[in-house]
């Protein structure tokens, strides 16, 4: 069989990994907002700044890329 691989660049703010930053990603961020590593609601997928906390930094990353789609 054939094996095809693809390299894509995911945008900051793409919490659900669908290669588009939109309201679905905002919903994920909102559910984790204010949490940090170890908290029940913490979601690493929403921690776009990778600092162990979901906060305004992450919201600003999402906002900057909202409506954008990554490389195909």
């Amino acid at each position: 069989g054939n094996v095809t691989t693809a390299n894509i660049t995911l945008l900051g703010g793409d919490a659900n990994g669908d290669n588009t930053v939109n309201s679905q990603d905002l919903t994920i961020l909102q559910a984790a907002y204010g949490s940090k590593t170890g908290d029940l609601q913490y979601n690493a997928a929403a921690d776009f700044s990778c600092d162990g906390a979901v906060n305004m930094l992450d919201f600003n990353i999402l906002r900057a890329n909202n409506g954008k789609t990554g490389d195909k």
Side-chain angles (χ1 to χ4, degrees), residues 15-64:
N16 65 0
D18 69 354
N19 207 30
T20 299
V21 180
N22 57 29
S23 62
Q24 293 173 10
D25 303 299
L26 179 59
T27 298
I28 293 168
L29 183 132
Q30 287 174 324
Y33 195 85
S35 66
K36 62 184 182 310
T37 304
D39 291 346
L40 187 59
Q41 77 266 27
Y42 177 76
N43 184 343
D47 184 8
F48 309 124
S49 63
C50 300
D51 64 355
V54 180
N55 54 32
M56 189 58 79
L57 291 173
D58 305 298
F59 175 77
N60 286 336
I61 291 168
L62 186 146
R63 186 178 62 166

Side-chain angles (χ1 to χ4, degrees), residues 2-13:
N2 294 333
V3 176
T4 303
T5 59
N7 292 321
I8 60 171
T9 301
L10 294 178
L11 295 169

